[in-house]
Amino acid sequence: MAEFQFFVSGDVVEIKRFEINTAPKENIVSESVFDSDKTFSEEFSNSDRSDENRAYNLNANRNELQRMARQHFNEESFFVTFTFRDHYGMQEVSETDKLFKKFIMRLRYKQEKISYLAVRELTKLGRIHYHMLLNDKYFSERWAVEDIQEKQKAMGFRYDKHKDKQVQIKCEERKKYENELAEIWSHGFCDMMQMGSDNDNFGAYISKYMTKDLDLFKGHKSYLSSRNVKKVEPLKFKSIEDVPELLQDVVANFDVYVSEALKVADKPKKEAFTKTYFNEYRGRIDFLELNLKRMNLKL
């Protein structure tokens, strides 16, 4: 017998299977697919931990980040990198975070309604810079892909589309918006691109920049987000009848789905992904991720 937990974010469904009684009885946290006051996130407290546990917590935060990115951002969203000039990027995280938050305040003053999700990364020289997913109506209304392509042709620019990326040629129109955002940033430079339809997993795109330098994050959140970018909570159902047919089928044929996921493990854009790991509280956990868009499925 097993218990299951489901997350749905964007086009991705995540399923965790917990084997009952695989951990010592006193360590088992009661968790089921049905309504409960407890959630699996209770495992991740804010208390001090060893490096090993902080690494585990960082991985949990990475999963959380990916869900939020998939849920709140889309092909019209922008991916922006902010770098510091000179000494700014060499400051402590607390200081660079203050500069980043002041930038957000200035951006809101000009654009008002925005949502963002950002992570820090260290350059090879040890400088901090920020990668951000941004929803901004002002920029998105002026940055239609078709418009940029037409303006490129009119100005004699060569149209170029890189694999899995949006238009990368820095035409005058794109540079105009980058300069406008860089002026609001005011601490250095910015690089800006619209995600585009070729990118269908925004969570994976931004989470790959999440630094593995645990000391950098000690005492700090591993990502920054606006209040309107909410965490994705696990699904709760009042009865088995409320569970979508697809999820009922996954529960009934979980090992079959795992086998199919293993067959596509080497594909660059996988329809499914699976892994097994162990947790000190819950014992063995089998994880399965399904990309409904790539599989032409719906809940």
Side-chain angles (χ1 to χ4, degrees), residues 8-9 13 38 40 79 81 101 112 148 156 165 198 229 244 256 263-264 269 272 275 278 289 292 296:
V8 176
S9 52
V13 176
K38 292 183 178 181
F40 189 60
F79 184 78
T81 298
K101 290 173 182 177
E112 193 172 342
I148 288 183
K165 289 187 178 180
D198 286 338
V229 177
V256 175
K263 292 179 182 179
V264 298
K269 284 197 170 185
K275 68 177 179 180
F278 292 84
E289 180 179 290
L292 302 184
N296 294 316

XYZ file of all heavy atoms in Angstrom, residues 8-9 13 38 40 79 81 101 112 148 156 165 198 229 244 256 263-264 269 272 275 278 289 292 296:
201
model
N 0.350 20.211 -9.495
C 0.085 20.612 -10.874
C 0.530 22.060 -11.034
O 0.089 22.936 -10.291
C -1.404 20.478 -11.246
C -1.651 20.990 -12.665
C -1.853 19.031 -11.134
N 1.429 22.303 -11.998
C 1.890 23.666 -12.269
C 2.095 23.816 -13.765
O 2.886 23.087 -14.357
C 3.198 23.955 -11.517
O 4.174 22.965 -11.772
N 2.565 17.800 -14.336
C 2.007 17.118 -13.169
C 3.133 16.345 -12.491
O 3.874 15.604 -13.147
C 0.889 16.134 -13.563
C 0.389 15.375 -12.333
C -0.260 16.878 -14.215
N -1.802 19.005 7.542
C -0.358 18.937 7.368
C -0.009 18.910 5.888
O -0.767 18.409 5.075
C 0.203 17.682 8.041
C 0.098 17.705 9.564
C 0.747 16.472 10.150
C 0.694 16.494 11.676
N 1.357 15.308 12.255
N 3.472 18.305 3.081
C 4.812 17.708 3.001
C 5.890 18.753 3.263
O 6.990 18.419 3.687
C 4.990 17.096 1.612
C 6.234 16.274 1.479
C 6.444 15.181 2.283
C 7.187 16.592 0.536
C 7.570 14.403 2.154
C 8.336 15.832 0.395
C 8.513 14.732 1.207
N 12.849 36.959 -19.798
C 13.960 36.465 -19.000
C 15.035 37.543 -19.039
O 15.533 37.896 -20.112
C 14.511 35.160 -19.553
C 15.588 34.561 -18.707
C 15.281 33.871 -17.546
C 16.922 34.707 -19.052
C 16.284 33.321 -16.753
C 17.926 34.171 -18.271
C 17.603 33.477 -17.117
N 18.652 39.207 -17.296
C 19.847 39.050 -16.461
C 20.379 40.420 -16.094
O 20.593 41.264 -16.973
C 20.937 38.253 -17.200
O 20.446 36.943 -17.493
C 22.196 38.134 -16.337
N 15.931 44.962 -4.567
C 14.578 45.310 -4.117
C 14.264 46.775 -4.380
O 13.119 47.138 -4.690
C 14.428 44.979 -2.630
C 14.413 43.471 -2.365
C 14.433 43.150 -0.880
C 14.475 41.641 -0.657
N 14.559 41.283 0.777
N 4.021 49.763 -12.539
C 2.983 49.462 -11.555
C 2.699 47.971 -11.400
O 3.067 47.371 -10.399
C 1.686 50.208 -11.886
C 0.683 50.192 -10.741
C -0.514 51.091 -10.986
O -0.446 51.969 -11.854
O -1.510 50.891 -10.287
N 9.008 42.500 -34.055
C 10.467 42.562 -34.087
C 10.988 41.997 -35.407
O 11.888 42.558 -36.026
C 11.071 41.794 -32.894
C 10.831 42.579 -31.598
C 12.556 41.560 -33.086
C 11.430 41.959 -30.374
N 16.958 45.793 -42.552
C 17.996 45.014 -43.219
C 18.695 44.025 -42.319
O 19.763 43.525 -42.663
N 15.365 29.007 -28.292
C 15.434 30.371 -27.775
C 14.674 31.311 -28.702
O 14.368 30.997 -29.839
C 16.880 30.837 -27.642
C 17.640 30.147 -26.518
C 19.002 30.764 -26.322
C 19.741 30.092 -25.170
N 21.076 30.672 -24.957
N 9.018 28.462 -28.099
C 9.959 27.335 -28.129
C 10.333 26.864 -26.729
O 10.820 25.756 -26.544
C 11.242 27.716 -28.872
C 11.019 27.786 -30.377
O 10.058 27.151 -30.842
O 11.768 28.488 -31.062
N 3.297 36.141 -6.904
C 3.783 34.848 -7.401
C 3.741 33.880 -6.217
O 4.666 33.801 -5.413
C 5.209 34.963 -7.988
C 5.728 33.598 -8.419
C 5.212 35.920 -9.173
N -9.132 13.545 -10.706
C -9.257 13.426 -12.167
C -8.910 12.026 -12.648
O -8.079 11.330 -12.049
C -8.251 14.467 -12.689
C -8.123 15.454 -11.585
C -8.259 14.661 -10.320
N 3.846 1.296 -14.537
C 3.803 1.346 -16.008
C 4.249 2.716 -16.489
O 5.042 2.843 -17.434
C 2.392 1.022 -16.531
C 2.338 1.192 -18.053
C 1.981 -0.383 -16.134
N 11.987 5.102 -20.685
C 12.264 4.920 -22.110
C 12.642 6.231 -22.797
O 13.309 6.219 -23.830
C 11.046 4.312 -22.805
C 10.753 2.874 -22.403
C 9.515 2.357 -23.114
C 9.169 0.934 -22.684
N 7.947 0.437 -23.356
N 12.186 7.343 -22.242
C 12.460 8.646 -22.873
C 13.495 9.442 -22.087
O 13.642 10.649 -22.278
C 11.153 9.474 -23.024
C 10.173 8.752 -23.915
C 10.523 9.771 -21.650
N 13.940 16.798 -24.834
C 12.670 17.299 -24.306
C 11.797 16.103 -23.957
O 11.022 15.608 -24.764
C 11.977 18.211 -25.316
C 12.590 19.593 -25.412
C 11.642 20.567 -26.091
C 12.159 21.993 -25.975
N 11.209 22.977 -26.528
N 8.214 12.686 -20.010
C 8.092 12.256 -18.619
C 9.480 12.074 -18.012
O 10.470 11.900 -18.717
C 7.299 10.952 -18.537
N 12.432 9.380 -10.927
C 13.597 9.079 -10.094
C 13.099 8.530 -8.763
O 11.939 8.714 -8.380
C 14.466 10.321 -9.864
C 13.818 11.400 -9.012
C 14.785 12.558 -8.789
C 14.111 13.661 -7.954
N 15.031 14.798 -7.710
N 15.516 8.674 -1.179
C 15.133 8.292 0.179
C 15.168 9.515 1.091
O 16.038 10.373 0.980
C 16.062 7.201 0.710
C 15.902 5.897 -0.010
C 16.580 5.662 -1.199
C 15.060 4.924 0.486
C 16.432 4.470 -1.879
C 14.904 3.718 -0.191
C 15.577 3.492 -1.380
N 7.186 12.700 -13.090
C 6.769 14.003 -13.636
C 6.271 13.791 -15.063
O 6.936 13.166 -15.882
C 7.947 14.984 -13.627
C 7.608 16.359 -14.186
C 8.795 17.308 -14.145
O 9.172 17.713 -13.035
O 9.358 17.606 -15.218
N 2.137 17.307 -19.687
C 0.882 17.042 -20.384
C 0.871 17.609 -21.793
O 0.304 17.005 -22.709
C -0.292 17.617 -19.582
C -0.457 17.091 -18.150
C -1.711 17.672 -17.527
C -0.495 15.572 -18.126
N 0.289 15.429 -25.077
C -1.051 15.674 -25.627
C -2.144 15.135 -24.703
O -3.112 14.491 -25.153
C -1.194 15.058 -27.030
C -0.300 15.717 -28.045
O -0.199 16.941 -28.088
N 0.354 14.923 -28.884
